[in-house]
């Protein structure tokens, strides 16, 4: 990069936003051997590694059941299908989020209802949820059936408060932990904080595979059995019986084999993310609004996200020095063309709107060394004082 050259040694080579090569270098032998074993046994669909991974995932987060599937989006879809959610049902979710929860609800004919977030954790505001549920109930056209809190950037949502609202209105809580797998709230691991939890193994997520993958966690035996059937075309006890309309939602054996190796070092990677987040916080506090973990929470630090005034300008200055940043998400869901039809004019989400204009995520992964991190920090400070 010529501009980097001219700026001297401080602006060296481009930095990756998420560096999967660092992890690969650490466990390449183990992953290659695991892949080779699958190539040799040849059970590419529902091979032994799938069940083995599910046992390990359940043990990791203390859940009774872990049911792997083809993606985080399929995990959401499978849960809503298993709960029989469809036409006439309202599914509440934050408007400041990835579209997968809205997509799953809308594909089943249900109505996504968008709710504002709180500025501290970027997550669902339970008061805004309460108001939205009451409004839906007053109108009487839809039944309030489910709420999908999203643990944005790896920060667990305020589950106790959300659960209280859900219980009062007979709704199921489906935690979207795609960005927060490994996080804890009051000592409890994400995976057991809601009635049912989903996560994603997309490569850049805290625990990622080498393709698409996802998982559902629950303590509920009956729900688990239904989801296991749904991910296999609705298969019954006999493999030739189809007792419900399902999908092809399985995780590949190869991805399961890779995830077993990655899960073995995941705890250590979570500790590294925490260390890196702490260092960002110490160096950027007072310079920019840094993310604060609320009391009792141990985030998974899927992303490290600042709130800035001149966000786009800062991002451009960093980009010019080979420092990538990302904006999750520049537009609230209720303003997206696909979901506008679900957003009544009365919807107000001032916190989400403000965040959409001002969030900026910095490079974050367990293999970010301190020299690179300090280069990023230096560039952020320079950009903010420019
Ligand atoms: C990534 C993500 C998903 C979807 O996961 P996929 O595995 O990509 O389908 C859902 N919700 C959130 C919050 C995500 O970040």
């Amino acid at each position: 990069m010529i501009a980097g050259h001219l700026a001297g040694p401080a602006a060296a080579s481009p930095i990756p936003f998420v560096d999967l090569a660092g992890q690969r270098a650490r466990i390449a032998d183990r992953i290659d051997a695991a892949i080779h074993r699958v190539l040799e046994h040849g059970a590419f669909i529902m091979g032994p590694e799938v069940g083995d991974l599910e046992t390990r995932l359940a043990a990791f987060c203390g859940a009774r059941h872990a049911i792997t599937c083809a993606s985080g989006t399929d995990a959401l879809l499978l849960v809503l299908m298993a709960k029989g959610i469809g036409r006439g049902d309202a599914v509440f979710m934050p408007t400041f989020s990835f579209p997968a929860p809205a997509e799953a609800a809308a594909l089943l004919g249900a109505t996504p209802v968008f709710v504002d977030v709180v500025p501290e954790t970027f997550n669902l505001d339970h008061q805004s949820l309460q108001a939205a549920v009451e409004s839906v109930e007053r109108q009487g056209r839809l039944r309030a059936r489910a709420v999908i809190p999203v643990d944005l950037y790896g920060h667990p949502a305020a589950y106790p408060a959300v659960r209280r609202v859900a219980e009062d209105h007979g709704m199921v809580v489906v935690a979207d932990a795609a960005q927060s797998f490994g996080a804890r709230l009051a000592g409890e691991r994400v995976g057991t904080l809601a009635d049912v939890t989903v996560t994603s193994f997309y490569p850049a997520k805290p625990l990622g595979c080498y393709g698409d993958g996802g998982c559902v966690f629950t303590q509920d035996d009956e729900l688990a059995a239904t989801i296991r059937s749904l991910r296999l075309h609705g298969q019954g006890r006999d493999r030739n019986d189809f007792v419900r309309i399902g999908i092809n939602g399985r995780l590949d054996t190869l991805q399961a084999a890779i995830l077993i190796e990655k899960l073995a070092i995941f705890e250590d990677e979570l500790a590294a993310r925490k260390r890196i987040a702490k260092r960002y916080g110490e160096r950027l506090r007072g310079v920019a609004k840094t993310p604060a973990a609320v009391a009792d929470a141990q985030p998974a630090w899927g992303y490290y996200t600042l709130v800035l005034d001149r966000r786009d300008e800062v991002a451009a200055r960093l980009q010019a020095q080979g420092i990538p940043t990302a904006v999750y998400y520049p537009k609230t869901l209720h303003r997206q063309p696909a979901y506008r039809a679900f957003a009544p004019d009365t919807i107000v989400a001032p916190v989400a709107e403000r965040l959409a204009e001002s969030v900026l995520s910095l490079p974050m992964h367990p293999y970010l060394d301190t020299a690179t991190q300090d280069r990023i920090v230096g560039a952020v400070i320079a950009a903010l004082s420019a």
Side-chain angles (χ1 to χ4, degrees):
M1 182 173 279
I2 295 190
H5 236 71
L6 295 176
S13 55
I15 294 169
F17 186 71
V18 172
D19 184 8
L20 296 173
Q23 183 195 55
R24 167 113 188 104
R26 177 173 174 188
I27 51 169
D29 290 355
R30 298 187 60 85
I31 288 187
D32 291 356
I35 290 173
H36 192 73
R37 282 195 297 275
V38 177
L39 297 181
E40 289 297 308
H41 71 53
F44 299 118
I45 300 294
M46 299 306 276
E49 285 82 356
V50 175
D52 182 3
L53 173 66
E54 290 179 344
T55 304
R56 291 168 195 258
L57 287 169
F60 178 81
C61 59
R64 233 170 114 72
H65 301 278
I67 306 132
T68 55
C69 55
S71 68
T73 306
D74 270 5
L76 285 162
L77 192 64
L78 286 165
V79 169
L80 298 186
M81 284 171 83
K83 287 286 176 186
I85 285 168
R87 211 157 294 283
D89 293 338
V91 179
F92 300 83
M93 62 193 70
T95 186
F96 188 57
S97 167
F98 190 67
E103 191 174 69
L107 281 172
L108 295 173
T111 301
V113 179
F114 299 110
V115 171
D116 205 0
V117 296
V118 291
E120 296 77 26
T121 61
F122 315 98
N123 286 330
L124 192 73
D125 175 1
H126 69 275
Q127 286 171 335
S128 178
L129 170 67
Q130 173 90 31
V133 174
E134 283 170 3
S135 163
V136 160
E137 288 180 342
R138 250 194 326 273
Q139 287 167 26
R141 280 182 295 113
L142 300 169
R143 276 166 305 172
R145 288 289 311 279
V147 50
I148 309 182
V150 176
D151 298 345
L152 210 67
Y153 311 145
H155 301 274
Y159 287 99
V162 171
R163 274 208 310 262
R164 274 194 294 278
V165 177
E167 275 162 22
D168 287 349
H169 297 270
M171 296 191 293
V172 59
V173 181
V174 182
D176 180 340
Q179 299 179 14
S180 69
F181 192 63
R184 287 177 193 270
L185 187 65
E188 299 293 319
R189 204 69 97 168
V190 157
T192 57
L193 302 171
D195 300 313
V196 51
T197 300
V198 305
T199 198
S200 162
F201 301 130
Y202 178 85
K205 302 288 159 102
L207 179 63
C209 58
Y210 286 159
D212 278 312
C215 193
V216 178
F217 299 91
T218 184
Q219 311 295 91
D220 180 336
D221 297 349
E222 197 183 320
L223 181 66
T226 305
I227 291 172
R228 285 187 189 283
S229 163
L230 284 168
R231 81 167 167 186
L232 243 165
H233 301 289
Q235 206 172 65
R237 279 183 192 281
D238 185 304
R239 56 173 301 154
N240 291 311
D241 277 346
F242 296 96
V243 297
R244 48 175 73 79
I245 299 170
I247 61 172
N248 171 2
R250 300 165 300 221
L251 179 74
D252 290 355
T253 310
L254 276 170
Q255 299 302 342
I258 290 160
L259 281 164
I260 288 170
E261 301 307 326
K262 292 204 186 194
L263 183 60
I265 58 164
F266 186 49
E267 194 77 71
D268 184 56
E269 292 187 338
L270 285 168
R273 285 179 184 274
K274 183 177 172 184
R275 208 162 51 235
I276 291 160
K278 183 160 178 271
R279 192 178 171 92
Y280 267 142
E282 285 162 1
R283 284 166 170 64
L284 290 171
R285 201 161 297 134
V287 180
K289 186 171 175 299
T290 53
V294 293
D296 266 8
Q298 279 183 264
W301 297 108
Y303 298 105
Y304 190 87
T305 306
L306 301 174
V307 179
L308 302 169
D309 285 337
R310 295 174 291 128
R311 190 262 316 275
D312 294 337
E313 187 191 322
V314 171
R317 284 182 188 276
L318 295 179
Q319 186 61 46
Q321 295 174 57
I323 299 171
T325 56
V327 174
Y328 303 117
Y329 298 89
K331 210 187 237 188
T332 51
L333 284 179
H334 69 277
R335 292 190 186 280
Q336 291 286 0
Y339 299 103
R340 238 177 254 151
F342 296 108
D345 295 338
T346 50
I347 184 169
V348 281
V351 178
E353 304 288 13
R354 193 153 27 84
L355 289 173
E357 286 173 5
S358 54
V359 291
L360 188 69
S361 300
L362 302 180
M364 166 54 97
H365 58 83
Y367 303 92
L368 188 63
D369 61 76
T370 52
T372 307
Q373 199 182 2
D374 289 347
R375 187 181 140 202
I376 296 164
V377 166
V380 170
I381 293 171
L384 283 170
S385 55

